[in-house]
Amino acid sequence: MYQSIENLNIERHFLTLQTRQVHYRIAGKGPPLLVLHQSPTSSAEMASTIEYFANEFTVIAPDTPGFGLSDYIDGMDPDITQYAEAVKEFVDALGLDKLCIYGFHTGAIIGAEMARLYPNLCLAVVVNGLFVEEKDEVDRILEHYTKWYKPTQEGTQMPWIWSRLRDQIIFFPWFSKEKKYRMSLDLPDPESKQPFVLDLMRTSEEAQTAYKAAFLYPAKERIQEMMTPTFLLNYKGDPLGEHPQRLESVPDCVHIELLDNPQAVEERAQEIFLQFSNTTATLSEPKIVNQELRLLKGYAYTSLGPVFYRSEAGDENTQTVIFLHDYAASSNATIEISECLEGRHRKIFIDLPGHGETGSTHLKDYRPQSIATMLAEGLAQLDLESISVVAMGVSSSIAAALSLSKTIQVEQLILIDPWYLDPAEMKSLPERYAPDLIPSTYGEHLLRGWYFVRDSELYFPWYDTKNANALKREADIDPQRIHDRAVDALKAGVGLTLVARDLIGYDIEELLQKITVSTKLYAWQGNGREQFTERVHQTVENSTLEFLPENRLDWSIRL
């Protein structure tokens, strides 16, 4: 089950291989246990399973290629063997030579294939949800199951996405609406369903190769080749619950059990793993030479939770530049803006607390000083002696607070379209600026997020759609870009209300007056907020002000 705030006992890390990064969750101590998730989710879905097994084991739960935050492997065929080989590469890089495996649905089939391919690695494997093929069934599923969406100018992909995942709980397969395909499951509440939607939005059409691989798995033949203790555990009500019964025969090392519910499966699995485990996990990570990746992902751990970042190496002896994104955005936005920065500097792109892949934290509020304290603690772990900060929009107040930190030295600030509300704006704008993203029964909140982003390109403020508030610059409303930015807003979700109150609604005058470092201000012409930047310029001593062209392709930002 997904959790709104990750348990601090479950750590999140990235393992860097030669051509890709694997994101994984890890918790507990004891013998190593590999946990593999279903499609199209991520290891986040397995949080309660991880916690359950972490009482006895070191639980390692990677995101499979192309899902969650793990990189996709270009050119993967719909062959579960390739997914098992990719997981084996991850396991080898951690230095593990003996382990148990627990897999669910797609993850179960990957686990089964690992048991077949690597009997010396796998001590025991629990397969929760083996798909056993019937020819006509497979052909029909492959024709429809991996149907994907295409962003449109009207945002019509949003209701399709919600309906797609809703129907997956009502019918199996989800595209078959006849009575005989109806399942006997309770629909989850919208809040519980929302993380599944976000995980689907994190992945891509090409990554659905995993679905195809799972449905094409020749279980009847492969199970016969097993030499590893393999337990096909299913629960009543799972659409795949009766599939192991389709196997005509199984080797002595394969055991089939149908249990009452998911909890009974986990309890039985724990008994099995305790029986077969005999080693304590000792993990190592490889030192990669010849790294081919331009951007590396990571988490910096703080006392208030992990902070997600991306980093890009620069030329030797250049400055380190920290990029902070605007309200309801993520590091995706600042990566694009960084292309306008002159010089090849080391760059670090942060997902602010409450946003992106940092998400919910244990911060008590989102005031600039609170966020700056958390960021300074995280940045201090990255061996940075001094930094420059490029901040967009509302994050400018965070940059100002960060410049006053005693934890890390800030050399200069570059503030792009900073916010500075006057008393009248302070009374109304923060309360109205956050879109209503409370998950709703029929997915209306997805469209509200989409309209928030789209109308932010047309009006300021976005919710006051009078012609007098129409932006003068050309609107950037390409369907894919609007969709991607709407996904960022939806990741922040209902937390945007608190961010608007504490960050947009913060009176920054006193904070600006304390800035002593070199400060460059850039106002985006036609953005509707030029007056905010001019107010900052009047308040920050020795600051400079430049106006950026309407077309972002013509921007040039200098340290």
Side-chain angles (χ1 to χ4, degrees):
M1 179 180 293
Y2 290 91
Q3 298 173 338
S4 58
I5 298 179
E6 296 251 6
N7 188 316
L8 285 177
N9 293 324
I10 300 179
E11 294 188 1
R12 303 178 66 178
H13 298 282
F14 287 90
L15 188 146
T16 304
L17 301 174
Q18 189 65 46
T19 60
R20 63 188 174 105
Q21 284 190 289
V22 180
H23 171 253
Y24 65 100
R25 289 170 167 83
I26 184 169
K29 292 182 179 180
L33 172 63
L34 188 70
V35 170
L36 303 175
H37 64 83
Q38 67 173 329
S39 301
T41 65
S42 71
S43 57
E45 185 200 5
M46 309 300 285
S48 61
T49 300
I50 294 169
E51 289 185 344
Y52 178 77
F53 288 131
N55 291 326
E56 301 283 353
F57 304 94
T58 298
V59 185
I60 304 157
D63 294 346
T64 50
F67 294 90
L69 298 182
S70 286
D71 295 335
Y72 179 65
I73 302 174
D74 291 334
M76 286 197 85
D77 296 322
D79 180 359
I80 213 70
T81 298
Q82 293 186 19
Y83 283 87
E85 290 170 345
V87 175
K88 176 64 159 51
E89 182 185 14
F90 165 77
V91 168
D92 287 346
L94 289 177
L96 297 173
D97 58 6
K98 297 286 183 183
L99 49 71
C100 292
I101 300 176
Y102 177 92
F104 181 58
H105 283 208
T106 304
I109 299 172
I110 295 172
E113 182 66 353
M114 290 190 71
R116 185 186 75 90
L117 291 174
Y118 312 113
N120 293 329
L121 169 71
C122 302
L123 297 169
V125 176
V126 168
V127 178
N128 181 358
L130 178 71
F131 179 80
V132 181
E133 79 287 358
E134 298 290 353
K135 182 64 172 65
D136 57 341
E137 184 179 48
V138 172
D139 291 343
R140 188 164 172 269
I141 285 176
L142 292 179
E143 183 180 356
H144 300 285
Y145 210 90
T146 56
K147 181 180 178 182
W148 201 244
Y149 63 87
K150 181 177 178 61
T152 69
Q153 292 184 336
E154 299 75 31
T156 54
Q157 73 278 6
M158 291 303 191
W160 183 89
I161 290 169
W162 188 262
S163 175
R164 159 72 174 81
L165 287 177
R166 188 174 189 267
D167 284 353
Q168 185 168 311
I169 306 169
I170 302 175
F171 304 98
F172 182 80
W174 68 268
F175 55 83
S176 298
K177 306 300 196 282
E178 294 88 356
K179 181 180 178 180
K180 65 179 179 179
Y181 299 111
R182 181 78 180 267
M183 295 192 292
S184 302
L185 298 176
D186 295 333
L187 285 177
D189 58 64
E191 290 80 4
S192 299
K193 181 179 171 183
Q194 179 68 1
F196 289 85
V197 171
L198 292 177
D199 260 348
L200 184 143
M201 290 176 168
R202 284 184 177 94
T203 187
S204 64
E205 182 175 12
E206 61 183 0
Q208 304 317 298
T209 303
Y211 260 138
K212 296 178 182 178
F215 288 126
L216 287 171
Y217 186 65
K220 293 178 181 178
E221 292 78 19
R222 298 283 173 89
I223 293 298
Q224 297 300 320
E225 301 174 16
M226 293 293 185
M227 294 183 291
T228 297
T230 302
F231 296 81
L232 309 182
L233 305 187
N234 291 79
Y235 60 89
K236 298 173 183 177
D238 187 320
L240 302 181
E242 302 289 344
H243 273 228
Q245 309 304 325
R246 297 178 175 182
L247 299 170
E248 297 176 359
S249 63
V250 295
D252 291 341
C253 63
V254 177
H255 310 271
I256 299 174
E257 300 178 32
L258 182 62
L259 304 171
D260 288 336
N261 51 57
Q263 181 179 355
V265 171
E266 291 186 354
E267 290 173 354
R268 176 69 180 115
Q270 186 173 51
E271 293 176 358
I272 293 166
F273 297 143
L274 288 173
Q275 176 186 351
F276 286 91
S277 297
N278 57 15
T279 59
T280 299
T282 302
L283 306 184
S284 61
E285 291 199 21
K287 294 182 179 179
I288 297 297
V289 186
N290 302 326
Q291 181 51 247
E292 297 181 12
L293 300 175
R294 173 182 160 239
L295 287 170
L296 294 178
K297 296 168 284 190
Y299 277 100
Y301 271 81
T302 77
S303 57
L304 296 167
V307 175
F308 176 80
Y309 68 91
R310 292 179 171 92
S311 64
E312 179 180 357
D315 293 331
E316 190 175 356
N317 299 323
T318 58
Q319 298 184 57
T320 298
V321 185
I322 308 299
F323 287 82
L324 306 179
H325 60 78
D326 204 350
Y327 177 79
S330 76
S331 54
N332 294 326
T334 53
I335 289 170
E336 181 179 9
I337 296 301
S338 75
E339 299 296 330
C340 308
L341 183 66
E342 296 180 4
R344 192 172 183 276
H345 304 277
R346 181 189 180 190
K347 302 170 184 176
I348 298 176
F349 309 93
I350 303 288
D351 277 8
L352 293 174
H355 294 78
E357 303 304 340
T358 294
S360 299
T361 68
H362 295 270
L363 279 173
K364 294 181 179 179
D365 60 68
Y366 289 106
R367 293 181 301 159
Q369 294 92 336
S370 301
I371 296 176
T373 299
M374 183 178 183
L375 295 185
E377 183 182 346
L379 291 171
Q381 299 178 26
L382 303 182
D383 298 324
L384 304 176
E385 295 182 1
S386 64
I387 60 173
S388 295
V389 181
V390 175
M392 300 182 64
V394 298
S395 67
S396 295
S397 59
I398 302 171
L402 197 58
S403 74
L404 305 176
S405 171
K406 296 181 180 179
T407 305
I408 194 162
Q409 183 178 349
V410 176
E411 299 289 347
Q412 60 180 315
L413 301 179
I414 292 179
L415 310 182
I416 303 172
D417 273 343
W419 286 61
Y420 189 161
L421 305 184
D422 64 22
E425 293 161 340
M426 193 81 71
K427 288 181 180 180
S428 62
L429 199 148
E431 289 188 4
R432 300 185 64 190
Y433 205 79
D436 177 9
L437 298 183
I438 297 173
S440 49
T441 302
Y442 301 110
E444 302 94 331
H445 64 291
L446 300 186
L447 268 178
R448 289 196 289 267
W450 184 88
Y451 272 109
F452 159 68
V453 170
R454 203 283 301 269
D455 284 3
S456 293
E457 283 291 319
L458 301 173
Y459 304 94
F460 183 79
W462 68 272
Y463 55 81
D464 195 355
T465 53
K466 298 184 180 69
N467 186 56
N469 294 329
L471 299 185
K472 303 298 187 284
R473 61 176 173 79
E474 186 73 31
D476 184 2
I477 52 176
D478 172 78
Q480 186 64 57
R481 287 173 61 82
I482 294 297
H483 175 81
D484 292 343
R485 290 164 56 195
V487 172
D488 277 341
L490 289 163
K491 286 179 183 178
V494 295
L496 288 179
T497 300
L498 299 177
V499 178
R501 182 197 69 190
D502 292 346
L503 204 55
I504 294 178
Y506 185 81
D507 186 352
I508 66 171
E509 181 175 5
E510 183 178 352
L511 193 57
L512 294 176
Q513 291 173 343
K514 293 180 179 179
I515 293 177
T516 58
V517 301
S518 171
T519 303
K520 285 188 174 184
L521 307 174
Y522 289 91
W524 187 2
Q525 293 183 10
N527 205 36
R529 304 205 303 259
E530 296 93 333
Q531 74 276 18
F532 293 175
T533 310
E534 292 172 350
R535 291 174 193 166
V536 174
H537 181 44
Q538 295 168 6
T539 306
V540 179
E541 292 187 5
N542 300 320
S543 62
T544 62
L545 171 60
E546 295 184 28
F547 286 86
L548 293 168
E550 288 187 24
N551 189 340
R552 282 194 296 191
L553 296 177
D554 297 329
W555 286 15
S556 178
I557 298 171
R558 301 178 304 279
L559 292 181

